[in-house]
Amino acid sequence: MSSATPQTASGGINWFKYSSPQTFFPLAGTLAPWFAAIAAVLFVAGLYIGFFVAPTDAQQGESYRIIFIHVPAAWMSMLIYLAMAFWAGMGLAFNTRLSGMMATALAPTGALFTFIALWTGALWGKPTWGTWWVWDARLTSELLLLFLYFGFMALQAAMDDPRRADKAGAVLALVGVINIPIIYFSVKWWNTLHQGASVSLKSAPTMAATMFTGMIVMVFACWAYAIAAALWRVRCIILERERRSEWVADYLETQK
Amino acid sequence: MNWGSAGEFFAMGGKGLYVWGSYAVTFLCIAIELASLNLRRRAAGKKP
């Protein structure tokens, strides 16, 4: 919406101003280090709680400590997909350049968290279920999510025109959204090996509190990390796509 | 405090391979992503 007439949101801040890559670029550059710093602090705090404050699980012993990365990563894998599909949809609906760039910027980080969720799940499954992998609904739909991210990235990489790549990727991303509720509700809809609530949160309240706190702190750490990574990546994408524009040339000149 | 010694901490009650395998790969992934972002940023900053 870079060429649209200026519009002012009710709050008095002109949010549409930031929908242009040129104005979003410095904003992303200012915000990213802050989110990275928040992520670093929360990772340290969450891991400290997870390993030194949260007690040993009565049923699973120490292997349950994988939860502090597995559950946040699995939530992020779905949340980032929804964010990616949202921006892709905004790009299709309003033809805004930055929206497509945001969707493209989120995909690798979403794939990363999906891979981490699958990897830690396998390493948790082996000591808990006795197997690295089963083709049950939860695990298979999460694997499909990884392939959706890969498909989105491969499709965009295969197209030379970024605007066409945005549109094609957006269609794929929006069709793939159907997989998110399937992942989320798979443990309810089908009889799966994957447990619903793995940590017995209700059995011992004090114990549940520290485990839960550690997990939630790690969730926010992953949120902050994903935002920082996406902002840094969208800056790369803006520079790559707008490299022929005057403001990028001016900006790069100041970086010398 | 859950651990009597550093050895106990790294053993993770005999589940060390699974627990540390999870965290090592997670942080390796993050390190790779940050390094690749840094490289991409440098490449994008070069004049065409």
Side-chain angles (χ1 to χ4, degrees), chain A residues 51 65 109 225 233 253, chain B residues 3 23 33 40-41 47:
Chain A
F51 281 95
R65 292 186 198 276
T109 304
Y225 171 78
R233 190 173 291 108
E253 202 57 48
Chain B
W3 322 102
Y23 284 92
E33 179 171 41
R40 187 171 179 178
R41 178 66 183 77
K47 292 208 161 182

Side-chain angles (χ1 to χ4, degrees), chain A residues 121-167:
Chain A
L123 283 174
W124 198 1
K126 186 64 180 168
T128 314
W129 307 333
T131 180
W132 305 101
W133 180 263
V134 283
W135 290 101
D136 85 345
R138 169 58 71 85
L139 280 68
T140 308
S141 54
E142 182 75 10
L143 184 65
L144 180 62
L145 182 67
L146 185 64
F147 292 150
L148 281 169
Y149 279 120
F150 285 161
F152 178 86
M153 290 189 282
L155 183 65
Q156 293 208 320
M159 301 179 98
D160 290 329
D161 177 10
R163 302 286 279 155
R164 280 187 62 216
D166 280 347
K167 288 201 169 69

